[in-house]
């Protein structure tokens, strides 16, 4: 009959109902994620890296922070300029994200950022601390990195400082390869370690930073052992 609904007409409300059901499911899932985010008592259990201007850990902090906000579907609060401040849930979750930013940076860094603005503004303020004038900063840091020597530092302290500067250069977009890092470590060794440094330089395959550091630490322990026996 002409007046009878066709199968195609019947599919339209079914599709609408399915879409509505999916939207409701997504909204419920989002509300659940946001409730979990609000319940986080200590953000440092999820983001253990504390951002410091002198630690060379900006990239690691940024990666961990984005992983965490993505887990709770809150990434728009730091990555998007468009916001929805008129919605109570957005305001509430923006406060949560902003508290996570301030909870994972040093007090000195926090003092230079206003807590009155949105999480996005705070995020950009943190970013500017590390990326502004990065060409000049990278140039000055690379000069320091290339000329750094061990002096009276222990192997652990010396390697830690070398790695820290390499990480800071990476934050500024100047990647230091593992091979370059090892060569720089070898070049800056004091006279006590020149022999083992030459051994490392001639190694085939060329040692990684981890292997070179382990070899130098072992040599340092051997020297200390011989010094104790001599006394």
């Amino acid at each position: 009959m002409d007046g009878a609904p066709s199968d195609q007409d019947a599919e339209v409300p079914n599709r609408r109902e399915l879409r509505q059901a999916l939207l409701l499911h997504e909204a419920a899932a989002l509300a659940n994620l946001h409730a979990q985010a609000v319940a986080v008592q200590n953000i440092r259990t999820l983001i253990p890296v504390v951002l410091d201007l002198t630690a060379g850990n900006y990239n690691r902090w940024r990666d961990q922070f984005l992983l965490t906000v993505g887990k709770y579907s809150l990434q728009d609060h730091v990555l998007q300029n468009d916001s929805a401040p008129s919605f109570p849930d957005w305001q509430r979750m923006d406060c949560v994200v902003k508290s996570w930013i301030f909870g994972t940076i040093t007090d000195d860094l926090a003092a230079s950022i206003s807590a009155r603005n949105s999480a996005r503004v705070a995020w950009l303020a943190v970013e500017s601390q590390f990326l502004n004038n990065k060409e000049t900063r990278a140039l000055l840091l690379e000069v320091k990195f290339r000329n750094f020597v061990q002096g009276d530092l222990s192997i652990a302290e010396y390697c830690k400082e070398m790695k820290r500067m390499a990480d800071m250069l990476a934050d500024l977009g100047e990647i230091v390869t593992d091979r370059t890092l090892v060569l720089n470590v070898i070049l800056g060794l004091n006279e006590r370690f020149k022999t083992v440094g030459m051994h490392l330089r001639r190694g085939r395959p060329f040692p990684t930073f981890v292997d070179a550091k382990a070899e130098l630490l072992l040599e340092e322990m051997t020297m200390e052992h011989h010094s104790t026996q001599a006394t």
Side-chain angles (χ1 to χ4, degrees):
M1 296 177 61
D2 293 339
S6 65
D7 292 340
Q8 188 174 2
D9 292 334
E11 287 180 1
V12 174
N14 287 339
R15 289 177 183 173
R16 290 174 181 168
E17 291 172 5
L18 178 59
R19 185 171 182 275
Q20 185 66 22
L22 289 173
L23 289 174
L24 289 173
H25 175 76
E26 180 65 22
L30 189 62
N32 183 50
L33 287 173
H34 287 181
Q36 292 178 40
V38 172
V40 173
Q41 297 293 319
N42 182 3
I43 188 57
R44 291 190 183 179
T45 60
L46 299 175
I47 308 172
V49 175
V50 178
L51 184 60
D52 190 331
L53 279 169
T54 62
N57 60 357
Y58 173 70
N59 279 346
R60 283 194 298 129
W61 175 84
R62 185 179 189 276
D63 289 345
Q64 288 189 10
F65 199 97
L66 290 179
L67 280 173
T68 301
V69 293
K71 173 183 176 182
Y72 294 107
S73 197
L74 293 168
Q75 62 273 15
D76 286 353
H77 287 265
V78 294
L79 297 180
Q80 300 294 329
N81 287 321
D82 297 331
S83 63
S86 60
F87 291 93
D89 184 64
W90 177 274
Q91 293 177 338
R92 180 167 56 252
M93 299 318 299
D94 204 66
C95 288
V96 169
V97 175
K98 188 163 55 176
S99 73
W100 289 357
I101 293 175
F102 282 91
T104 54
I105 62 179
T106 61
D107 290 341
D108 288 341
L109 189 53
S112 65
I113 300 168
S114 174
R116 298 176 183 175
N117 297 312
S118 67
R120 171 65 174 166
V121 172
W123 176 264
L124 292 175
V126 170
E127 188 177 76
S128 70
Q129 293 287 324
F130 293 87
L131 301 185
N132 280 0
N133 303 316
K134 68 177 186 178
E135 289 79 12
T136 301
R137 293 173 62 195
L139 180 62
L140 294 174
L141 182 58
E142 185 157 4
V143 170
K144 181 180 178 181
F145 174 71
R146 299 292 180 184
N147 291 286
F148 189 70
V149 294
Q150 180 183 4
D152 296 329
L153 295 175
S154 68
I155 289 297
E157 293 170 330
Y158 173 58
C159 288
K160 180 181 179 181
E161 182 60 17
M162 279 289 195
K163 185 65 167 62
R164 185 185 73 85
M165 286 190 286
D167 289 342
M168 289 179 70
L169 282 167
D171 287 346
L172 295 170
E174 300 297 325
I175 304 299
V176 177
T177 65
D178 194 77
R179 180 183 178 85
T180 298
L181 177 57
V182 173
L183 286 171
N184 218 55
V185 167
I186 293 172
L187 287 172
L189 289 169
N190 64 30
E191 289 299 323
R192 292 198 308 151
F193 295 94
K194 288 298 182 183
T195 301
V196 69
M198 185 178 297
H199 168 73
L200 290 171
R201 191 171 59 213
R202 294 175 177 174
R204 294 295 181 274
F206 193 75
T208 64
F209 174 71
V210 172
D211 290 339
K213 180 181 176 182
E215 189 77 19
L216 289 167
L217 286 170
L218 180 61
E219 181 69 14
E220 185 177 55
M221 291 172 61
T222 302
M223 289 179 180
E224 290 174 353
H225 177 69
H226 288 165
S227 176
T228 302
Q229 284 189 326
T231 56

